[in-house]
Amino acid sequence: AGHRRRGAGGIGVLGPAITAIKAYVAANYSASPVRWANEPFPGGSYELPTDNGVPSPFVEVEVIGGRNAIEAFSVPGNRVFIHPAIIRFYIVVPQGTGIDAAIATADVFAAFMERKEFGQSAGQTVRTGDFSTYDGVASYEDGNRFVLMASVPAEFYYTN
């Protein structure tokens, strides 16, 4: 198989991809609050959402980047790089409410995240692969909440 050389830059080149992913998720999902890793919930609070003291559902999202690789050699400005990533979703529902609501939320994310292309801008695009909801291993109780983990691989294509 082809050997890929490591491209210029590191995790920082994912900035435009993360911006595109955030916009894409916001345009396609609003059923419960979405919190991005190390950021507050919508409205500015870091407190977990509740409704009259009862835990409320929410989704936390993180983007985990890998090493970018040059895909097409050319003069600077026309070289194509691919930066792989995993977009991970932690789907949180109140403990004791069953798994159905978490699975239904995962299905919503799968419908708009699986095998999509978005964020096209100035030689950049994000492409996603097959969505996965993990069975058993990644489902866990966290205090008074139940968390279901799901993810989709992504590739950020850009020119440099």
Side-chain angles (χ1 to χ4, degrees):
H3 174 71
R4 289 188 168 172
R5 293 179 184 238
R6 184 172 172 196
I11 191 73
V13 299
L14 269 181
I18 293 170
T19 298
I21 294 164
K22 285 180 176 182
Y24 187 72
V25 168
N28 287 281
Y29 183 79
S30 61
S32 62
V34 174
R35 178 179 182 260
W36 294 85
N38 203 33
E39 293 184 8
F41 284 97
S45 174
Y46 283 92
E47 298 296 320
L48 296 178
T50 60
D51 182 16
N52 292 323
V54 177
S56 298
F58 68 92
V59 178
E60 183 162 312
V61 185
E62 68 178 333
V63 179
I64 305 164
R67 287 188 173 178
N68 57 331
I70 191 164
E71 189 67 18
F73 289 89
S74 186
V75 297
N78 289 323
R79 297 174 293 185
V80 177
F81 289 84
I82 300 175
H83 195 126
I86 295 290
I87 307 168
R88 187 160 292 151
F89 305 93
Y90 300 92
I91 300 162
V92 182
V93 297
Q95 185 177 8
T97 59
I99 194 171
D100 292 346
I103 290 172
T105 299
D107 288 345
V108 170
F109 274 88
F112 73 83
M113 290 300 298
E114 185 171 56
R115 299 183 188 178
K116 301 297 183 195
E117 185 171 313
F118 55 89
Q120 294 86 357
S121 172
Q124 301 175 352
T125 191
V126 176
R127 292 182 183 153
T128 61
D130 292 331
F131 192 89
S132 297
T133 301
Y134 303 97
D135 185 20
V137 173
S139 302
Y140 61 92
E141 293 179 4
D142 182 21
N144 55 0
R145 292 172 166 81
F146 174 82
V147 182
L148 177 70
M149 187 171 59
S151 66
V152 64
E155 293 180 324
F156 175 49
Y157 291 78
Y158 65 99
T159 56
N160 179 341

